[in-house]
Structures are given as structure tokens and as C-alpha cells.
Amino acid sequence: MLNIMVSKSTGKIIFKVETETRGCFFMTTRNSGPDESKSIVFVESEKFLKLWQREPYSLEPHLSHGNESVWKNDYKYNKAVHGFSSGITNPVPVPKVVAYFHDYHEIKYKRKLLFFKEVSEILTERLPYLAIDDGVTRTIFLLANKVKIFPVEVPSSQVDIISKYASPPGSDHFTLKQIYEKTYPQKCGITN
């Protein structure tokens, strides 16, 4: 379960994220004020990972297609361990994610004469994918520690795409402005 708070002392939005293997961690947005152009979407790890693996131009495909062992052996993983260790006093930024669509083509051939073939059909499937603009190491840290749901920051114009393909059913999403305007219950005895 995710808890959302607004820190009275810093004005930052703080998310409490639970993992299966290492307990709870705290994340925040980089922006410290209301903003309509950016939104927070809660994503399911498995759905998120499938969309990230579809990224056709990835700079780090070994991470998007990796597993717990690959992620924990990444050269920057220990920086995430250190970053997340500060807890609520210094929460780490949520990953910034963007969504796109890519046309995947499948070409079907038929034999022509003995040695030749010709294109008989081109099938095109338009599929969404995600790219991480900022926060790859934080993301693999969460995935390696078996987080089920975590927040990402997205352009508000892409909320519907990411919500449809990566969020849990019935999950909410909010602009940063809406989060600041809404009062969230303080759960688990966390006060700031």
C-alpha cells in the first residue's frame, strides 16, 4: 500500500513505498509546488517492466531485461542503497517516465519459384512502451527489492496511456497541484 503525505516543514510530497524484501522506503517529487503539467501515476512493477522492456531505443537494455541479480550487480546500485537509506528525512525522487507508441512490423513472405520469396503481407501492431528519463537506478533498486506498486512522475498529457497500461485497476492518478490541494490521512504514525 502507498501512503501519500505533504511535509509541513518542507512542503514536499512524500510517498511511502513498501517492498517485500527490505521494508518501507520514502520517495518525493523534485518539484516542491503545485504543477498542472506533471502528474503522479502509481504503477504495478510487472506491468511497468513489460512496457519498459518494449523500449526500442533503450540505452540500457540489460537493465530493462535484467533480473534481481543483474540489477543488484549494476555499478550504480549501491548509490541507490545509500540514497534510500536516509528514510523520510531525505526521500529519494520518484522516477520520471514518458510513454510512447511504437509500430512493430511483422513481414510475411511467400515462396516464388524455387529460391526466391516475395512479401505477401506486412502486419503492423502499435504498442505502448515506457522510457525512464530520470531514475533508472532508483527503479531497479525498487524492482530488485520486489516492490509491487510505486509512484512515477509523468507529463500530465501522458497520464491516460501510463494508467491504462501500467497501473493497477481502479488506481488514481493526480497532478502535483491536485496532491497539494487534497488532504491525505497520515498513516502508520508518520508525522513531519
Side-chain angles (χ1 to χ4, degrees):
M1 172 170 199
L2 285 168
N3 293 307
I4 307 170
M5 300 154 275
V6 177
S7 170
K8 293 174 184 158
S9 59
T10 64
K12 287 186 176 183
I13 300 167
I14 299 174
F15 304 93
K16 181 181 177 189
V17 180
E18 295 182 24
T19 66
E20 283 185 20
T21 58
R22 293 187 67 157
C24 297
F25 294 102
F26 296 91
M27 304 184 83
T28 189
T29 59
R30 288 189 190 269
N31 187 327
S32 60
D35 189 346
E36 285 287 335
S37 69
K38 297 175 186 162
S39 292
I40 296 296
V41 176
F42 303 105
V43 296
E44 286 183 1
S45 295
E46 289 179 19
K47 292 178 180 179
F48 178 90
L49 188 56
K50 285 179 186 174
L51 291 173
W52 186 27
Q53 289 170 343
R54 283 188 194 153
E55 184 181 1
Y57 313 109
S58 177
L59 297 175
E60 301 182 274
H62 67 287
L63 294 177
S64 62
H65 292 273
N67 57 31
E68 184 179 342
S69 174
V70 170
W71 297 326
K72 286 184 175 183
N73 286 307
D74 182 67
Y75 75 102
K76 288 174 66 179
Y77 183 83
N78 285 330
K79 289 184 179 189
V81 171
H82 176 72
F84 276 100
S85 69
S86 297
I88 197 167
T89 58
N90 189 18
V92 300
V94 299
K96 290 186 178 184
V97 174
V98 291
Y100 299 103
F101 283 92
H102 183 74
D103 292 333
Y104 294 87
H105 304 286
E106 180 183 349
I107 301 172
K108 296 196 173 202
Y109 298 93
K110 67 178 181 180
R111 284 255 177 239
K112 186 174 183 181
L113 300 174
L114 187 59
F115 299 106
F116 303 101
K117 46 185 178 171
E118 68 180 2
V119 174
S120 64
E121 186 178 13
I122 299 175
L123 303 173
T124 301
E125 186 175 13
R126 190 170 180 79
L127 295 173
Y129 70 91
L130 297 178
I132 301 172
D133 277 354
D134 179 38
V136 170
T137 306
R138 284 169 264 145
T139 301
I140 64 169
F141 174 86
L142 292 171
L143 295 172
N145 287 288
K146 298 182 180 16
V147 68
K148 291 197 185 295
I149 297 171
F150 62 100
V152 295
E153 183 178 305
V154 302
S156 293
S157 61
Q158 298 180 347
V159 164
D160 291 339
I161 298 168
I162 295 172
S163 292
K164 180 177 180 180
Y165 295 103
S167 292
S171 177
D172 286 329
H173 52 270
F174 308 96
T175 65
L176 295 183
K177 183 177 180 183
Q178 289 171 320
I179 292 174
Y180 278 102
E181 291 172 352
K182 188 168 178 136
T183 304
Y184 287 93
Q186 300 262 339
K187 296 184 180 174
C188 300
I190 298 168
T191 57
N192 29 346

